[in-house]
Amino acid sequence: MSLNIKRPNGTEDILPSDVHKWHTVEKIARETAESFGFSEIRIPTFENTELFQRSVGETTDVVQKEMYTVIAKETKFTLRPEGTAGTIRAMLQNGLLNEALPQRVYYILSCFRHERPQAGRLREFHQFGLEMAGSAEPSADAEVISLAKNILDRLGLKNIELYINSIGCPKCRSEYHKALRSYFSERKENLCDTCIERLEKNPMRILDCKSPVCQEIAKNAPVILDYLCEDCSGHFEKLKKYLANLKIDFKVNPKIVRGLDYYTKTVFEFVTTEIGAQGTVCGGGRYDGLIEQLGGKSTSALGFAMGIERLLIVMDKQKCDFMTPKKCDIYFATMGENALEKAMNISHELRDFGYRAEFDLIGRGIKAQMKYANKIGAVFTVVIGDNELETGKVKIKDMEKGTEIEIALDDKFRINFESLYFNKMMDSIDDTEIGGNENG
Ligand code: HAM
């Protein structure tokens, strides 16, 4: 019988053989964010649709074309297309903004966007993201950008460019909108229907339309940097100074406007050209108006999110190091009921001390059990049969070297096993060092 229900288009299964790669990214991202004073927040997978309409914006591709929305008992809910809106909602609802500022939170979550699937663009994808609320200072922008850079560096990624821009505040934007309207009105007949609608409501959105014709027209559109007010341009200059001080290379790219409506002032993207069109591995910026817009006190905020699938595509391509997948530390091959019970007891004790211990659970013969131990890459194996139970001694085999040592099957088993394991690890360190000297 063949499986006739497959996973939905644009979704992926993360298999046990690959999960160590995810653990690597998650561990490094968490540790880096925590070293910068961020703590984890976990938010619901779905929210009231209105939250995204009001924050991400009515005229964005995400809200207009990509949201998964259901109506349940007359209420409209949407699977989160990103993490910022839900995180800010949670901060407001739980009073976090009344505590010591700046509030700093990070998250690892799945997002849902009904996009056309392709390499690096999924309908369910995962983000590592973070938000900092309560600072209007450009030093906070530099801090958040340097945090993102730090994560990318610690993951071992190379050839990632940082692009920054400022898209100003509502004050400077009103002049800019006028200039954009005049530019696009003259070319209106070639714009897509959605962009014709955007022309009046929000002309900046035309700049990140995915239609190739609109993109071509947008190439020569006026750029926001020419319209920044004094406050916004001063903020941007200071950010550039701080990044230079931190020795973080960047390029000012006036074309970056980001696809979500809440941004003000600084926006940035980390981009690689190595994985084709979907090369933005991280995007973020400042959103000084969002908290007030959602009903909170006026509070400046900023953040970013990285696409974990995209990071992994680049890491694979660049052959970055991943944490070693955890293997079975010790496998007990058993013959008979008494041996099985003994293996159960010792395994439980070893597991309490953090070891991965396994024994046969499907009644295989001894040969098949050893074959299995080999297949799963067990570090040590022990055979327990009537003879071993009678003498109270077992042979523990180092599967890599093929050597065997006899140890007692008594209360001291765990301690003896630990010292054996420790010695093995020390030997392998010595071997590496000797190898290193030879090569040197
Ligand atoms: P975003 O640029 O929409 O920003 O998404 C952030 C990152 O998520 C992208 O740079 C990309 O790596 C990844 N990503 C986006 N869409 C997909 C997709 N369909 N498939 C795979 N990966 C994808 C945000 O979501 C903002 N909330 C970031 C932010 C946080 N700004 C301030 N705070």
Side-chain angles (χ1 to χ4, degrees):
M1 212 173 71
S2 72
L3 177 71
N4 53 17
I5 304 176
K6 304 259 165 67
R7 61 171 186 264
N9 235 345
T11 64
E12 274 178 358
D13 300 310
I14 302 162
L15 301 177
S17 54
D18 275 337
V19 85
H20 65 288
K21 298 183 175 179
W22 286 75
H23 291 164
T24 307
V25 172
E26 289 163 6
K27 183 170 188 286
I28 289 176
R30 267 176 210 287
E31 284 176 1
T32 313
E34 283 170 12
S35 73
F36 277 70
F38 286 73
S39 305
E40 185 171 355
I41 189 165
R42 298 190 187 191
I43 55 169
T45 309
F46 61 93
E47 299 273 356
N48 280 291
T49 302
E50 198 188 341
L51 176 71
F52 302 115
Q53 289 168 332
R54 280 176 45 188
S55 53
V56 173
E58 293 277 12
T59 51
T60 56
D61 270 1
V62 170
V63 169
Q64 286 187 321
K65 303 177 186 167
E66 296 168 2
M67 294 207 303
Y68 286 95
T69 298
V70 291
I71 300 175
K73 306 231 183 278
E74 290 168 21
T75 308
K76 263 185 164 185
F77 296 106
T78 295
L79 290 179
R80 59 181 172 221
E82 55 101 60
T84 307
T87 300
I88 295 300
R89 197 261 320 124
M91 286 172 116
L92 281 169
Q93 191 165 355
N94 296 287
L96 300 196
L97 299 176
N98 304 326
E99 293 172 17
L101 297 179
Q103 277 292 306
R104 282 173 273 209
V105 295
Y106 73 85
Y107 47 82
I108 299 174
L109 43 73
S110 49
C111 300
F112 307 86
R113 297 184 193 176
H114 190 84
E115 299 197 74
R116 201 163 45 79
Q118 54 181 273
R121 194 200 277 172
L122 294 155
R123 290 183 173 167
E124 182 189 19
F125 61 97
H126 296 79
Q127 286 187 344
F128 171 84
L130 51 84
E131 315 295 342
M132 181 197 286
S135 172
E137 294 300 313
S139 54
D141 305 43
E143 178 87 338
V144 162
I145 292 174
S146 72
L147 202 177
K149 167 92 174 100
N150 223 295
I151 294 176
L152 299 173
D153 287 347
R154 289 195 203 181
L155 291 175
L157 291 165
K158 305 266 175 321
N159 308 327
I160 310 262
E161 302 243 16
L162 165 62
Y163 296 116
I164 62 169
N165 190 21
S166 173
I167 56 168
C169 62
K171 202 167 96 192
C172 33
R173 228 178 278 164
S174 76
E175 279 307 300
Y176 180 53
H177 278 182
K178 274 188 214 156
L180 281 182
R181 273 196 199 100
S182 130
Y183 174 85
F184 284 118
S185 297
E186 286 166 22
R187 294 151 182 89
K188 192 173 167 180
E189 62 278 12
N190 294 322
L191 293 175
C192 74
D193 290 346
T194 321
C195 284
I196 290 177
E197 232 177 85
R198 287 167 170 162
L199 193 55
E200 275 320 303
K201 287 191 189 151
N202 192 354
M204 254 173 87
R205 285 279 70 91
I206 304 174
L207 299 174
D208 65 349
C209 177
K210 291 189 183 107
S211 136
V213 182
C214 298
Q215 279 180 6
E216 192 55 39
I217 298 173
K219 270 189 186 157
N220 296 318
V223 293
I224 177 82
L225 281 182
D226 296 334
Y227 294 82
L228 291 187
C229 67
E230 213 172 295
D231 177 36
C232 289
S233 71
H235 187 100
F236 196 47
E237 288 312 309
K238 268 212 162 156
L239 167 63
K240 290 195 270 183
K241 185 177 92 131
Y242 293 144
L243 291 178
N245 175 52
L246 288 166
K247 302 196 169 38
I248 296 178
D249 289 334
F250 63 87
K251 285 194 181 126
V252 174
N253 182 348
K255 298 274 171 203
I256 290 184
V257 290
R258 313 273 304 127
L260 314 162
D261 266 356
Y262 45 65
Y263 292 108
T264 52
K265 293 188 175 165
T266 311
V267 286
F268 60 91
E269 288 182 354
F270 285 89
V271 182
T272 167
T273 48
E274 289 182 22
I275 58 166
Q278 308 305 318
T280 308
V281 291
C282 172
R286 181 169 272 290
Y287 47 91
D288 288 345
L290 180 63
I291 294 179
E292 194 174 11
Q293 211 175 308
L294 293 178
K297 272 197 298 205
S298 165
T299 311
S300 299
L302 69 163
F304 68 74
M306 300 181 167
I308 301 183
E309 285 84 356
R310 289 191 193 173
L311 290 174
L312 289 173
I313 296 175
V314 192
M315 286 178 76
D316 272 333
K317 185 129 199 275
Q318 297 187 351
K319 301 202 168 26
C320 295
D321 286 338
F322 292 106
M323 289 176 342
T324 327
K326 189 96 176 91
K327 276 193 197 159
C328 171
D329 294 309
I330 184 162
Y331 182 85
F332 294 96
T334 58
M335 280 181 288
E337 203 53 22
N338 294 340
L340 176 66
E341 287 185 9
K342 189 78 186 170
M344 280 179 183
N345 291 336
I346 309 177
S347 294
H348 274 283
E349 187 189 343
L350 289 170
R351 290 165 182 167
D352 283 344
F353 282 81
Y355 294 101
R356 191 153 166 163
E358 285 190 46
F359 48 85
D360 178 57
L361 293 171
I362 51 180
R364 273 188 281 230
I366 203 79
K367 243 181 151 174
Q369 290 186 49
M370 290 308 286
K371 218 169 148 186
Y372 170 80
N374 223 348
K375 228 179 183 172
I376 61 168
V379 182
F380 290 99
T381 53
V382 170
V383 177
I384 312 179
D386 289 343
N387 190 27
E388 284 77 9
L389 290 174
E390 217 166 275
T391 58
K393 286 188 179 135
V394 284
K395 288 201 175 109
I396 178 162
K397 182 172 179 182
D398 178 325
M399 294 294 278
E400 187 190 19
K401 293 188 176 155
T403 49
E404 284 187 328
I405 294 182
E406 195 171 73
I407 60 175
L409 196 57
D410 57 12
D411 298 350
K412 299 221 174 59
F413 182 87
R414 194 230 341 134
I415 294 179
N416 288 328
F417 168 69
E418 282 192 317
S419 75
L420 206 63
Y421 212 152
F422 179 75
N423 288 338
K424 180 177 168 57
M425 284 190 318
M426 294 313 281
D427 281 353
S428 72
I429 292 170
D430 283 352
D431 288 350
T432 333
E433 277 176 4
I434 292 164
N437 288 341
E438 279 172 356
N439 290 336

